[in-house]
Structure formats: C-alpha cells, structure tokens
Amino acid sequence: MDEWSDPLYVLSQVEYMLAARRHELLPRFSATAAAVLPHRAAAMETGDCSRLPIKVDGDPAITGAVTSAELRRLAALGVPGEAAVVEETLGGERRKLVVLSSAPVIGKGAMIALVPTGDAPDDRALGIVAKLWDIVSVNAAQRATDPEPEILASNLAAATARARAITDLGQTHATALASLLSVLRSRRLGDAAARQAATDLAAASLVELRSIADRDQELSAEPASEAFDTLVAQLDPLVRHNDVTVDLAGPGDERSLPQDIAHTARTVTRGLVLAALERGSTRVRASWQLDGQALRITVRDDGPDVARAVPAAGLTERITPLGGRWEVDAVPGWGATITAVMPLEVQETPELRPLDRLNPRELEVLAGIARGKRNRQIAEELLLTEHTVKFHVRKILGKLEVTSRGEAAVLARELRLESVGA
C-alpha cells in the first residue's frame, strides 16, 4: 500500500515536521518530501527570520554556492499553494527545479526550491509537497509572530548587528571629515598640495559613501585580508597627514569574515584609533589576528591618560550582539592595550532550561499540576475558567515536550519548581 494513501502515515509526517525547532525545519521538510519527491538539495528563503533568512540542506556542491539573488529570482516565479517546475539557476548552474511558495495570512511567507534527482515529478507528487509546504510554512509563520525567548533574543541581536553595520555610512562620513581637517591643518603641505589632497580625498569619499549603503545590505562575506585593506584605505588619509605614528598590521589570513563581523571590526578599529589620538598618544598600533574561531582586534597606544582608556559605549553596543567582549590592559606611564574579541561564527543562544520556556501563568498552572490538582481546582485557585486552564495545560505539555500531566509533574518536581500558592 502506498504510504501516502494512509491517513495515519500522512498525519505522522505532518506531526514530525510541525514538532521541528527553527533550525530543524528545512532538514525535516526535506527528509519528508524526499519520500514522495526525491531531490538532491533544498534551499529556502523566508521573510520571518531576521537572523538567517536563507537556509540550505543537501548536496554541498549545490548548497555551498546558493546566493540570495538566485532565491529572489525564484521567489518571483513561485505560485502560492502550488508547485512550479522551472528551469533556472541555483548554486551557480542552470537546473530543473521545483519551486514551492507560500503566502500565509500571518507573516511574510517563504519559498523553497528543490533540485529533483530524476525526471519531472508527476502531478501527484507535486501536489503532496505543495500541500505539505503550505502546512509547514503557515505553522512557521505563526510561531514567528510569538517566538520563544531564545529565538527572539538571537533575532534581535542579529537585526541590531545588521542595523549597526548599515550605520557605518555615518562612521565613514565622520572619518572623511576628520581626514579633511587633518589635511587642511597639516603644516607639511602647501596650499596647492593641500587643495589637491583634499579634492582627491573628497572624491574618493563620495564614491565610498555612494557604494557602502548597497554593499551593507548584503549579508555576504569577504576575505579577512581584503577587509583589513579596506580599513587601511579608510584610515590612510588620517594617518598620512598626522604627526602621530600609526602602525597598521593586517591578519595575513585569507579566511572569510561574515559581513557583520567585517563591518563591525572596521568600525571598532577606527573608533579605538581615533580615541587613542584624542587621549594624546604619539604612537598607535592597530592589528587584526584570526585566533582559532575568533577575530582579535587590538589597538595599543602610549597615551598618558590611561584613565580614559575605556571602550566607548557605542563600540560596546556594536560588538555585544555578535558575541564580542573586551580585554583592557592600561598601565600609567606605559599606555593602554584594548582588544575586542569577536567570534567568527553565528552565536546561537544556549538552550534554555525546560521551565524557562514557560511564562509566569503557565508556571502557576504547572505548580498546581505538580501538587496533583485537577483543572477545576487550579482554575478556582487562580481565578480562571476551566477552559483557560485546559489551554495552558496543552501549551505546557508542548513546551516541556512531554505527553501527559504526570510527566509534566515529575519534571516539575525534578527541576524543583517552587509550588506557587502552596
């Protein structure tokens, strides 16, 4: 008997997908869909996840080359609720693809592209995967409107980091103005040379300002050495015409930095260098070093005012969402060394303890369950309706990943939940 003609089998597969956590959604859908529509790879783009809007699963030869531009073109070809078979580019090559789109009432919708392994899928297979994707995407959109605390914190951190990266436009503008003032104040240049230097600097800055906004919109990556070369070019006008000695030491590493990290690293380095100059330093050394899975940004100076050698709050706000931290070593008479340590990988928020997934009202209901109370008794204690208590019980069982009140009670006692109102 065809498994997909068995209602219980279909329901079990739907349950398997709906129980997936955010990062498991695509792999689980891909595994389920593969039973009816075999495929080599899957790529998804969603508007409801600010942290990782693009997700891939399957053959690395394909998924490793997928770009956001390709997925945007495919999204325009999809028809919500249907499976569209198209010939388009994915992973840098033109292929036969199955495009599934959704447009739920809640959320911004999502698109998934599958790379079939064989000939064109039959209509029945296309119909099944289209309906499965409708169910999964509607559920995902609803969960996105009420995310769990750890997901919300991670998404907010990533969104903040990207917004901060875009505001590098202002940082670049500030650096350009400081460099112009340095040229105009320099006693080493005559009037004609100063005008020419200022003109060249202004022209280069305009080009940079016009291009940086578009560049910051893409969440791509760039080699660490190229990212540092960009920083050197940004600081060069300020360093070249300044009486202070500024040494810049690059990472000498071709590993790629996520764009968020690269932008933030340049902003942090510029900010620390300018702060060192403001403290009266006569020699400043800025360096990047890729140390294992972290980028170390170190700025060392000989400024006498070590009491002010504290990273600015604005710079702390830049590195914190990306999991960064400071190391500060300031010695009177010797100067200061400030290091920003930034992880290279996306920082996943640690899994919360089971009880941390519950809100205060759910904890009160669970406390009643742990004391052996029935729904009616819990409702009377908490001044709720019995129907509301039933609703909370269902939510509690789902969040704790248990199937019965007894299991929930045992878990509450093992985790030493204080009996509210006992």
Side-chain angles (χ1 to χ4, degrees):
M1 178 182 178
D2 182 358
E3 291 177 322
W4 289 93
S5 298
D6 180 1
L8 289 179
Y9 176 81
V10 174
L11 289 174
S12 69
Q13 294 302 302
V14 171
E15 180 184 29
Y16 170 72
M17 290 185 294
L18 297 186
R21 294 186 180 278
R22 184 71 62 91
H23 67 279
E24 299 172 332
L25 180 59
L26 179 59
R28 287 200 183 189
F29 176 81
S30 181
T32 301
V36 66
L37 198 161
H39 54 275
R40 294 174 56 196
M44 179 176 74
E45 182 180 53
T46 174
D48 294 319
C49 181
S50 61
R51 177 175 50 166
L52 294 173
I54 296 175
K55 300 176 179 66
V56 294
D57 183 69
D59 186 351
I62 299 174
T63 59
V66 171
T67 67
S68 58
E70 292 174 340
L71 295 184
R72 279 196 296 269
R73 285 195 296 271
L74 292 176
L77 301 176
V79 179
E82 299 181 14
V85 180
V86 301
E87 291 274 353
E88 273 296 334
T89 300
L90 184 68
E93 293 184 19
R94 196 166 183 83
R95 314 172 190 275
K96 179 172 291 184
L97 304 171
V98 175
V99 177
L100 308 172
S101 296
S102 69
V105 176
I106 298 175
K108 299 179 182 179
M111 182 280 299
I112 187 171
L114 305 177
V115 182
T117 55
D119 298 329
D122 58 43
D123 290 342
R124 180 170 178 270
L126 293 174
I128 291 175
V129 295
K131 183 54 66 177
L132 288 176
W133 182 243
D134 260 357
I135 295 171
V136 170
S137 58
V138 167
N139 176 262
Q142 290 175 333
R143 284 196 288 175
T145 63
D146 185 21
E148 297 175 3
E150 68 270 27
I151 295 296
L152 178 60
S154 183
N155 283 352
L156 287 176
T160 300
R162 292 173 189 173
R164 296 291 186 185
I166 291 173
T167 60
D168 274 354
L169 183 67
Q171 282 277 346
T172 302
H173 183 59
T175 302
L177 290 177
S179 301
L180 279 172
L181 287 174
S182 178
V183 169
L184 296 175
R185 291 172 176 172
S186 176
R187 291 173 292 183
R188 300 178 182 178
L189 300 175
D191 289 346
R195 281 197 302 273
Q196 185 60 52
T199 300
D200 293 343
L201 175 62
S205 297
L206 283 174
V207 172
E208 175 70 7
L209 288 170
R210 288 168 182 166
S211 64
I212 194 172
D214 292 334
R215 192 168 66 247
D216 284 340
Q217 297 297 325
E218 296 298 330
L219 197 62
S220 57
E222 57 183 305
S225 58
E226 292 184 10
F228 192 81
D229 289 342
T230 301
L231 170 68
V232 172
Q234 292 172 343
L235 288 176
D236 180 66
L238 177 62
V239 172
R240 189 192 316 163
H241 304 295
N242 203 302
D243 295 333
V244 177
T245 301
V246 179
D247 297 325
L248 302 174
D253 197 312
E254 292 303 318
R255 277 185 290 172
S256 291
L257 295 177
Q259 200 76 329
D260 285 343
I261 299 295
H263 283 300
T264 304
R266 286 192 288 262
T267 299
V268 168
T269 309
R270 289 198 305 264
L272 292 177
V273 169
L274 290 173
L277 296 179
E278 291 174 359
R279 292 199 304 272
S281 304
T282 61
R283 187 179 184 87
V284 179
R285 187 178 191 274
S287 64
W288 286 10
Q289 180 184 3
L290 287 171
D291 179 14
Q293 294 301 311
L295 171 64
R296 298 180 66 86
I297 304 163
T298 301
V299 174
R300 182 180 297 115
D301 68 78
D302 62 354
D305 191 1
V306 296
R308 295 172 54 201
V310 178
L315 297 182
T316 299
E317 291 173 0
R318 296 295 183 95
I319 70 171
T320 300
L322 297 176
R325 58 184 173 83
W326 294 110
E327 295 176 359
V328 180
D329 183 13
V331 180
W334 290 88
T337 300
I338 301 177
T339 300
V341 182
M342 299 176 59
L344 298 180
E345 300 296 330
V346 174
Q347 297 300 294
E348 296 288 348
T349 303
E351 174 66 23
L352 295 178
R353 294 182 299 116
L355 296 185
D356 289 339
R357 303 172 193 164
L358 307 184
N359 61 40
R361 178 62 79 185
E362 290 165 350
L363 287 173
E364 291 177 330
V365 173
L366 179 58
I369 294 175
R371 299 199 308 274
K373 301 284 187 179
R374 294 186 177 278
N375 287 349
R376 181 177 299 176
Q377 294 171 303
I378 296 173
E380 292 173 353
E381 280 187 1
L382 302 180
L383 303 179
L384 301 173
T385 66
E386 189 172 353
H387 176 76
T388 300
V389 172
K390 289 181 180 179
F391 170 78
H392 286 310
V393 171
R394 285 198 301 271
K395 295 284 286 184
I396 290 168
L397 297 183
K399 289 184 178 182
L400 296 183
E401 298 179 353
V402 296
T403 58
S404 69
R405 296 168 64 96
E407 290 180 50
V410 170
L411 184 61
R413 288 192 287 269
E414 288 178 349
L415 296 176
R416 299 181 181 180
L417 170 68
E418 294 183 3
S419 297
V420 178

